[in-house]
Amino acid sequence: MNYSEILAEIHHEITPLFGQGKVADYIPALAKMDPNKFGMAITTIDGELFTFGNTKDEFTIQSISKVFTFVKAFSGIGEKIWEHVGREPSGTSFNSLVQLEHEFGIPRNPFINAGALVITDLLISEYGDAKKEILNFLQDLSQDRSVRFDLEVAESEKQHGFRNAALANFMKSFGNIENDIESILDTYFYHCSILMNCEELAKSFLFLANNGIIPGSNKQLLTKSQAKRTNALMLSCGLYDESGEFAFRVGLPGKSGVGGAIAAIIPNKMAISVWSPELDEYGNSLIGIKALELFTTKTGMSIF
Ligand code: DON
């Protein structure tokens, strides 16, 4: 299949949508992103790469980092992870507090902020310097040692992180957080601030399309069953309260971030990343979703 032509067609069709979304503006460092950027990259498990647009530009991966932290924790502690976090869609916004009180401080899933904070806590208990561990993991996956934290974004998030602080404190009051709040928030904001480009992001997701194994290596990051579960979680919870709509329109497991990127996988075939900073009302890339919808429609490839 000539994916390059399809990517060019997609770009043509999404162009009228520029201006319909809004770049994240809760911190100045994100508000200054160029809304007109668009990049899309496909990496196949056979080692092919197809790109279109601004695929070498860096952006902060934000909540997409929650997939990597979850993978790291799941591979390390296995089934015990479910004592701390659930695996149900929340149907609420990514930073919502409302369900936590009724559900005794156990977040619905690892991809809402509450769940990701619990995962960060588990990683600190497991590794001590979890920040370094997460960054190394992403440098290995992307095969790029220049993958790094955006210090301005991380520090700015810290200055405005009142809701995340509330979530972490609330969960600590239920006994679902072990380490001190400050180090959890610091690690969480830093892993959200990791800078990558579309090509690196697609490459880093490829093991999820390949039963947990990095293609071309014998490196098994997750068991086949764990990879299946991670993908199921992305499908049901990866785009927060827009996950149902994403499954309906795109039909792939995927994860979004407020930096404007979405990464998705087609099992046994490929990983796809798309970046367009304007967000919809749920905090997901408006054009990114459309681009992925066009991709699965044009190619006839989805998990359904
Ligand atoms: O916790 C936050 O507010 C951000 N650093 C990450 C949120 C995010 O990416 C939500 N996804 N769409």
Side-chain angles (χ1 to χ4, degrees), residues 26 62-63 66 94 113 157 164 188 192 240 256-258 283-284:
Y26 66 97
Q62 296 291 343
S63 287
K66 295 169 181 173
F94 64 88
N113 285 15
E157 294 262 12
N164 285 313
Y188 172 78
C192 284
Y240 315 108
S256 63
V258 288
N284 301 317

Side-chain angles (χ1 to χ4, degrees), residues 137-192:
F137 184 46
L138 278 175
Q139 289 176 340
D140 288 347
L141 278 177
S142 61
Q143 294 157 32
D144 191 336
R145 302 321 287 178
S146 74
V147 166
R148 64 196 182 283
F149 299 118
D150 184 324
L151 304 183
E152 188 195 347
V153 169
E155 289 302 319
S156 184
E157 294 262 12
K158 269 199 209 177
Q159 304 302 316
H160 295 82
F162 308 112
R163 234 169 210 272
N164 285 313
L167 288 165
N169 277 293
F170 200 40
M171 291 188 290
K172 185 138 182 136
S173 78
F174 283 103
N176 195 23
I177 289 279
E178 187 180 17
N179 297 285
D180 68 276
I181 303 293
E182 212 177 305
S183 63
I184 293 164
L185 292 174
D186 179 68
T187 305
Y188 172 78
F189 290 132
Y190 270 76
H191 74 60
C192 284

Side-chain angles (χ1 to χ4, degrees), residues 219-258:
K219 243 184 159 179
Q220 179 115 36
L221 299 179
L222 292 175
T223 65
K224 192 174 176 178
S225 154
Q226 286 175 327
K228 179 190 86 175
R229 289 176 172 174
T230 306
N231 291 335
L233 275 170
M234 287 204 287
L235 183 78
S236 55
C237 314
L239 276 85
Y240 315 108
D241 40 345
E242 201 175 10
S243 299
E245 180 73 5
F246 187 76
F248 183 79
R249 287 173 52 193
V250 177
L252 296 178
K255 183 75 203 81
S256 63
V258 288

Side-chain angles (χ1 to χ4, degrees), residues 22-26 30 33 60-64 94 157 240 256-261 275-279 282-285:
K22 200 164 161 281
V23 169
D25 58 2
Y26 66 97
L30 289 180
M33 273 189 298
T60 58
I61 62 172
Q62 296 291 343
S63 287
I64 299 175
F94 64 88
E157 294 262 12
Y240 315 108
S256 63
V258 288
W275 174 54
S276 170
E278 288 186 343
L279 307 178
Y282 302 101
N284 301 317
S285 173

Side-chain angles (χ1 to χ4, degrees), residues 33-264:
M33 273 189 298
D34 180 349
N36 297 313
K37 294 282 185 179
F38 175 82
M40 199 161 178
I42 294 171
T43 50
T44 70
I45 60 173
D46 306 325
E48 287 179 298
L49 172 70
F50 301 89
T51 62
F52 186 94
N54 309 117
T55 53
K56 298 270 190 203
D57 288 30
E58 291 176 324
F59 45 79
T60 58
I61 62 172
Q62 296 291 343
S63 287
I64 299 175
S65 61
K66 295 169 181 173
V67 175
F68 302 114
T69 53
F70 171 74
V71 164
K72 196 91 189 125
F74 198 22
S75 64
I77 71 168
E79 294 301 304
K80 275 185 92 63
I81 205 166
W82 308 121
E83 290 171 15
H84 300 273
V85 68
R87 57 226 191 193
E88 285 294 341
S90 70
T92 59
S93 61
F94 64 88
N95 55 7
S96 175
L97 289 129
V98 292
Q99 285 160 345
L100 273 182
E101 177 145 37
H102 297 294
E103 297 177 4
F104 308 104
I106 307 290
R108 279 280 175 104
N109 66 68
F111 298 151
I112 49 174
N113 285 15
L117 288 162
V118 165
I119 298 292
T120 303
D121 180 51
L122 294 172
L123 289 177
I124 294 171
S125 300
E126 183 87 355
Y127 296 106
D129 192 350
K131 236 156 107 170
K132 193 167 148 209
E133 198 68 31
I134 297 163
L135 187 61
N136 281 342
F137 184 46
L138 278 175
Q139 289 176 340
D140 288 347
L141 278 177
S142 61
Q143 294 157 32
D144 191 336
R145 302 321 287 178
S146 74
V147 166
R148 64 196 182 283
F149 299 118
D150 184 324
L151 304 183
E152 188 195 347
V153 169
E155 289 302 319
S156 184
E157 294 262 12
K158 269 199 209 177
Q159 304 302 316
H160 295 82
F162 308 112
R163 234 169 210 272
N164 285 313
L167 288 165
N169 277 293
F170 200 40
M171 291 188 290
K172 185 138 182 136
S173 78
F174 283 103
N176 195 23
I177 289 279
E178 187 180 17
N179 297 285
D180 68 276
I181 303 293
E182 212 177 305
S183 63
I184 293 164
L185 292 174
D186 179 68
T187 305
Y188 172 78
F189 290 132
Y190 270 76
H191 74 60
C192 284
S193 84
I194 289 175
L195 284 164
M196 291 181 112
N197 63 37
C198 280
E199 292 179 25
E200 291 160 346
L201 186 58
K203 209 183 283 176
S204 303
F205 260 67
L206 209 44
F207 73 99
L208 289 170
N210 195 41
N211 297 311
I213 302 168
I214 299 176
S217 80
N218 290 324
K219 243 184 159 179
Q220 179 115 36
L221 299 179
L222 292 175
T223 65
K224 192 174 176 178
S225 154
Q226 286 175 327
K228 179 190 86 175
R229 289 176 172 174
T230 306
N231 291 335
L233 275 170
M234 287 204 287
L235 183 78
S236 55
C237 314
L239 276 85
Y240 315 108
D241 40 345
E242 201 175 10
S243 299
E245 180 73 5
F246 187 76
F248 183 79
R249 287 173 52 193
V250 177
L252 296 178
K255 183 75 203 81
S256 63
V258 288
I262 303 176

